[in-house]
Amino acid sequence: MDNSLLVSLSQQLAAFRAIDVIANNIANASTPGYKRESTKFEEYIAQMHPAEGETGSQSVSFVKDAGTMRDLAQGHMTQTGAPFDLAINGKGFFAVQTPQGLRYTRDGHFSLDANGQIVNSSGYALQGDGGAITITPDDGDIRIAPDGTVSGRTGQLAKVRVADFADEYAMVKQGANLYSTDQQAQTPAVIDIRQGALEGSNVQPVLEISHMIEVMRAYEATANLTKNQQDMKRDAVEKLGAMPVS
């Protein structure tokens, strides 16, 4: 295959990957605590065999997918009034217990399950300093202080665990707005939990749509360039085949 076609193909694959990430951002624009992602690409230079009319090894520059980058900027706080909706103002993550072990999230949309445990939308229990947090009917109205202290009619019941890590960007995305990490959890210097509020996604849909349009135009331009080159080759072959044999 012609080197130029290979370069065009790498560009199209990169654009396809970028569109996939942008579409995921847009789909999660209203997901509490979701953090916007963007693609990262690098130049990859390879030594290729010369194409027709060229001599010697040729240096060809390809587009290489180097993964995604996560934007950890704070999302907008929205007041919901729900007693178990929680938002972290500043650094830190809520810890939830899953069948695969502890996972971490900024999504503070919690509720009570049938057993009185505070759980997220997937049914995973929110963790306090002593494990899962359980509320009984005798506890009355629940108050959660900025430092995470959970109190009821009978006094202090638990304290919401807030975990921070040395490298938040190294946390691995696990789906359902959850992250995992092998790093040692730390306690943030300042804990500021807002009861009855949710941190929104930091995605700005208008900017994402604008970015998607730019990427789609670049994809179309590269695809048209490839098509035009193939058309030229086909026309050349057809004209060559139509020439009379002497």
Side-chain angles (χ1 to χ4, degrees), residues 27-88:
N28 286 281
S30 33
T31 300
Y34 177 81
K35 300 303 178 185
R36 176 186 178 273
E37 295 183 332
S38 60
T39 47
K40 179 181 179 182
F41 299 108
E42 297 176 350
E43 182 182 26
Y44 177 77
I45 299 177
Q47 299 299 317
M48 307 292 290
H49 293 295
E52 184 178 355
E54 298 176 336
T55 58
S57 178
Q58 301 294 312
S59 295
V60 182
S61 178
F62 296 94
V63 181
K64 178 183 177 182
D65 185 353
T68 58
M69 298 182 295
R70 189 177 304 126
D71 180 3
L72 295 176
Q74 179 93 37
H76 178 70
M77 294 283 185
T78 302
Q79 297 296 320
T80 66
F84 298 107
D85 277 349
L86 305 175
I88 298 176

Side-chain angles (χ1 to χ4, degrees), residues 39-220:
T39 47
K40 179 181 179 182
F41 299 108
E42 297 176 350
E43 182 182 26
Y44 177 77
I45 299 177
Q47 299 299 317
M48 307 292 290
H49 293 295
E52 184 178 355
E54 298 176 336
T55 58
S57 178
Q58 301 294 312
S59 295
V60 182
S61 178
F62 296 94
V63 181
K64 178 183 177 182
D65 185 353
T68 58
M69 298 182 295
R70 189 177 304 126
D71 180 3
L72 295 176
Q74 179 93 37
H76 178 70
M77 294 283 185
T78 302
Q79 297 296 320
T80 66
F84 298 107
D85 277 349
L86 305 175
I88 298 176
N89 182 36
K91 295 178 69 64
F93 295 81
F94 296 112
V96 296
Q97 186 66 51
T98 76
Q100 292 74 38
L102 283 175
R103 295 293 183 264
Y104 303 93
T105 183
R106 293 280 296 193
D107 184 351
H109 184 46
F110 298 107
S111 60
L112 286 184
D113 67 5
N115 298 318
Q117 289 189 338
I118 302 178
V119 298
N120 68 359
S121 56
S122 299
Y124 302 143
L126 173 67
Q127 298 298 290
D129 288 344
I133 302 174
T134 301
I135 306 298
T136 69
D138 295 334
D139 293 324
D141 293 336
I142 299 300
R143 298 180 301 279
I144 301 177
D147 68 352
T149 300
V150 182
S151 302
R153 182 186 301 148
T154 57
Q156 182 174 335
L157 305 174
K159 189 172 184 179
V160 176
R161 178 181 178 184
V162 178
D164 191 21
F165 302 95
D167 187 0
E168 297 176 334
Y169 294 95
M171 300 178 72
V172 179
K173 190 175 180 180
Q174 296 294 337
N177 220 2
L178 300 175
Y179 300 94
S180 65
T181 181
D182 294 330
Q183 301 176 72
Q184 184 67 37
Q186 305 169 353
T187 301
V190 178
I191 297 177
D192 185 8
I193 295 178
R194 308 289 178 86
Q195 183 180 16
L198 288 175
E199 177 192 2
S201 165
N202 63 1
V203 172
Q204 300 183 53
V206 174
L207 295 181
E208 295 297 324
I209 292 173
S210 175
H211 189 200
M212 176 173 282
I213 292 173
E214 292 176 0
V215 175
M216 290 180 67
R217 286 175 176 170
Y219 178 90
E220 291 173 357

